[in-house]
Amino acid sequence: CMRKYGGKSLRTEYCHELAVRLLTGCLAKTAAKYGIGIKIVFSHSTDHYVRVYAETERSAKKANETVRKMGYILHCFKCFHRETIQEPFLIGHSEKCVECGSKVNVAGPLWLGEIFDEDFCKLMMEEIEKRSFRLKDRIRKILNLARLEAKAPITYYVIDKMCDTLSLRTPPLKKVFEALKEMGFQAIPTHFNSRGVRTDAPAMVVQKILKQINS
Ligand SMILES: [Zn+2]
């Protein structure tokens, strides 16, 4: 659902994150060519725009580290499974989804490194408290979410989209978060989508939870 930045996108429910990772990938490759390494401190994306805020450092070592954070995301449209492959080229990977056996689709090459920096978000939150402006509450909320998802798993599940595909009623998001945590998985919201959840749980587990809440 986004413009392309030298890599292939997919019409997944986390396309806003893909847009950020594709744009960052493009930036990383270009910077590395000139011996510059990058670190993403904040990113944002809506249906209308993609924005990435980066710190740069001229250093061959940092440039190499930057390039090593490139890779691919494999996505299964059948069961919602997704996985990352942190390799410069996609050679010899299985085209079959490890969870359901369907054919997976590939997004990339793109950036698999962090797309938010916890400390930067904290600093920004302190800064906005010193000022008064119209969108303060909204920006505070976005920064707080971004801070929490800085170290969270790559990509998120959009509960409404999954329920729609599985013909299930949409449960309260709180219940999904609770169920995931009870099973020992991470459950972290995302500022990209108010109905999204970042988790290390396999897609089949998320499906199972949604079915259980529905029954
Ligand atoms: Zn699958």
Side-chain angles (χ1 to χ4, degrees):
C1 58
M2 282 286 169
R3 280 178 291 155
K4 288 173 188 171
Y5 296 98
K8 187 176 169 287
S9 188
L10 289 174
R11 284 176 181 276
T12 63
E13 62 275 25
Y14 51 87
C15 61
H16 289 151
E17 180 177 340
L18 281 181
V20 164
R21 293 190 179 281
L22 285 164
L23 173 61
T24 307
C26 182
L27 176 69
K29 271 192 283 184
T30 308
K33 235 182 261 177
Y34 296 99
I36 295 168
I38 63 162
K39 176 186 168 185
I40 305 303
V41 291
F42 189 73
S43 58
H44 189 51
S45 161
T46 68
D47 286 337
H48 309 290
Y49 70 87
V50 190
R51 257 175 225 163
V52 171
Y53 302 82
E55 279 174 12
T56 59
E57 192 181 337
R58 190 174 284 279
S59 141
K61 187 170 163 266
K62 285 275 177 346
N64 283 334
E65 282 171 15
T66 294
V67 173
R68 261 184 252 124
K69 286 178 187 162
M70 296 290 293
Y72 299 84
I73 293 175
L74 307 187
H75 181 87
C76 173
F77 281 100
K78 185 87 189 292
C79 76
F80 296 93
H81 168 80
R82 62 286 303 267
E83 65 186 270
T84 58
I85 295 185
Q86 201 164 331
E87 299 282 347
F89 301 103
L90 206 54
I91 301 164
H93 78 96
S94 170
E95 289 197 344
K96 269 190 179 174
C97 170
V98 294
E99 291 198 69
C100 78
S102 303
K103 191 177 177 294
V104 287
N105 289 77
V106 179
L110 43 72
W111 174 259
L112 292 175
E114 285 184 14
I115 52 175
F116 314 100
D117 180 70
E118 215 178 328
D119 292 336
F120 179 82
C121 291
K122 273 187 207 160
L123 201 70
M124 289 288 284
M125 285 173 82
E126 285 167 23
E127 274 308 307
I128 62 165
E129 295 312 326
K130 293 176 194 163
R131 294 148 215 249
S132 71
F133 52 96
R134 198 166 53 87
L135 296 171
K136 192 167 168 173
D137 287 345
R138 197 168 149 236
I139 291 171
R140 184 194 289 124
K141 205 178 151 203
I142 289 173
L143 283 169
N144 194 40
L145 285 168
R147 177 178 69 86
L148 294 172
E149 62 185 313
K151 295 221 158 45
I154 291 174
T155 80
Y156 47 88
Y157 296 91
V158 176
I159 299 310
D160 300 36
K161 164 84 180 156
M162 282 185 89
C163 287
D164 195 39
T165 306
L166 300 167
S167 303
L168 296 170
R169 272 172 292 129
T170 311
L173 216 53
K174 201 169 151 253
K175 278 197 172 178
V176 181
F177 277 75
E178 280 168 6
L180 282 165
K181 282 179 184 163
E182 254 169 48
M183 292 175 80
F185 293 109
Q186 294 181 64
I188 298 159
T190 171
H191 89 293
F192 285 117
N193 191 315
S194 61
R195 303 292 298 169
V197 54
R198 292 186 186 273
T199 179
D200 50 346
M204 287 301 185
V205 170
V206 182
Q207 279 199 30
K208 208 173 129 193
I209 286 172
L210 294 178
K211 283 172 189 162
Q212 269 169 0
I213 296 174
N214 254 257
S215 63

mmCIF file with all atom_site columns, all heavy atoms in Angstrom, residues 76 79 81 97 100, ligand 1:
data_model
loop_
_atom_site.group_PDB
_atom_site.id
_atom_site.type_symbol
_atom_site.label_atom_id
_atom_site.label_alt_id
_atom_site.label_comp_id
_atom_site.label_asym_id
_atom_site.label_entity_id
_atom_site.label_seq_id
_atom_site.pdbx_PDB_ins_code
_atom_site.Cartn_x
_atom_site.Cartn_y
_atom_site.Cartn_z
_atom_site.occupancy
_atom_site.B_iso_or_equiv
_atom_site.pdbx_formal_charge
_atom_site.auth_seq_id
_atom_site.auth_comp_id
_atom_site.auth_asym_id
_atom_site.auth_atom_id
_atom_site.pdbx_PDB_model_num
ATOM   1  N  N   . CYS A 1 76  ? 3.150  -15.031 5.350  1.00 0.00 ? 76  CYS A N   1
ATOM   2  C  CA  . CYS A 1 76  ? 2.152  -15.986 4.855  1.00 0.00 ? 76  CYS A CA  1
ATOM   3  C  C   . CYS A 1 76  ? 0.772  -15.337 4.953  1.00 0.00 ? 76  CYS A C   1
ATOM   4  O  O   . CYS A 1 76  ? 0.317  -15.000 6.040  1.00 0.00 ? 76  CYS A O   1
ATOM   5  C  CB  . CYS A 1 76  ? 2.186  -17.271 5.680  1.00 0.00 ? 76  CYS A CB  1
ATOM   6  S  SG  . CYS A 1 76  ? 0.856  -18.417 5.249  1.00 0.00 ? 76  CYS A SG  1
ATOM   7  N  N   . CYS A 1 79  ? -2.016 -17.837 7.006  1.00 0.00 ? 79  CYS A N   1
ATOM   8  C  CA  . CYS A 1 79  ? -2.123 -18.000 8.467  1.00 0.00 ? 79  CYS A CA  1
ATOM   9  C  C   . CYS A 1 79  ? -1.538 -16.821 9.251  1.00 0.00 ? 79  CYS A C   1
ATOM   10 O  O   . CYS A 1 79  ? -1.523 -16.839 10.466 1.00 0.00 ? 79  CYS A O   1
ATOM   11 C  CB  . CYS A 1 79  ? -1.453 -19.301 8.905  1.00 0.00 ? 79  CYS A CB  1
ATOM   12 S  SG  . CYS A 1 79  ? 0.348  -19.236 8.925  1.00 0.00 ? 79  CYS A SG  1
ATOM   13 N  N   . HIS A 1 81  ? 1.555  -15.952 9.476  1.00 0.00 ? 81  HIS A N   1
ATOM   14 C  CA  . HIS A 1 81  ? 2.932  -16.180 9.929  1.00 0.00 ? 81  HIS A CA  1
ATOM   15 C  C   . HIS A 1 81  ? 3.871  -15.188 9.249  1.00 0.00 ? 81  HIS A C   1
ATOM   16 O  O   . HIS A 1 81  ? 3.691  -14.847 8.088  1.00 0.00 ? 81  HIS A O   1
ATOM   17 C  CB  . HIS A 1 81  ? 3.353  -17.611 9.581  1.00 0.00 ? 81  HIS A CB  1
ATOM   18 C  CG  . HIS A 1 81  ? 4.824  -17.866 9.742  1.00 0.00 ? 81  HIS A CG  1
ATOM   19 N  ND1 . HIS A 1 81  ? 5.396  -18.120 10.959 1.00 0.00 ? 81  HIS A ND1 1
ATOM   20 C  CD2 . HIS A 1 81  ? 5.838  -17.878 8.833  1.00 0.00 ? 81  HIS A CD2 1
ATOM   21 C  CE1 . HIS A 1 81  ? 6.703  -18.288 10.797 1.00 0.00 ? 81  HIS A CE1 1
ATOM   22 N  NE2 . HIS A 1 81  ? 6.997  -18.153 9.526  1.00 0.00 ? 81  HIS A NE2 1
ATOM   23 N  N   . CYS A 1 97  ? 5.504  -21.910 4.158  1.00 0.00 ? 97  CYS A N   1
ATOM   24 C  CA  . CYS A 1 97  ? 5.276  -21.386 5.494  1.00 0.00 ? 97  CYS A CA  1
ATOM   25 C  C   . CYS A 1 97  ? 5.534  -22.498 6.513  1.00 0.00 ? 97  CYS A C   1
ATOM   26 O  O   . CYS A 1 97  ? 5.010  -23.598 6.371  1.00 0.00 ? 97  CYS A O   1
ATOM   27 C  CB  . CYS A 1 97  ? 3.835  -20.894 5.596  1.00 0.00 ? 97  CYS A CB  1
ATOM   28 S  SG  . CYS A 1 97  ? 3.334  -20.489 7.269  1.00 0.00 ? 97  CYS A SG  1
ATOM   29 N  N   . CYS A 1 100 ? 1.958  -23.354 8.310  1.00 0.00 ? 100 CYS A N   1
ATOM   30 C  CA  . CYS A 1 100 ? 0.797  -23.971 7.647  1.00 0.00 ? 100 CYS A CA  1
ATOM   31 C  C   . CYS A 1 100 ? 1.122  -24.615 6.302  1.00 0.00 ? 100 CYS A C   1
ATOM   32 O  O   . CYS A 1 100 ? 0.268  -25.266 5.703  1.00 0.00 ? 100 CYS A O   1
ATOM   33 C  CB  . CYS A 1 100 ? -0.327 -22.946 7.483  1.00 0.00 ? 100 CYS A CB  1
ATOM   34 S  SG  . CYS A 1 100 ? -0.077 -21.801 6.115  1.00 0.00 ? 100 CYS A SG  1
HETATM 35 ZN ZN  . ZN  B 2 .   ? 1.139  -19.962 6.908  1.00 0.00 ? 1   ZN  B ZN  1
#
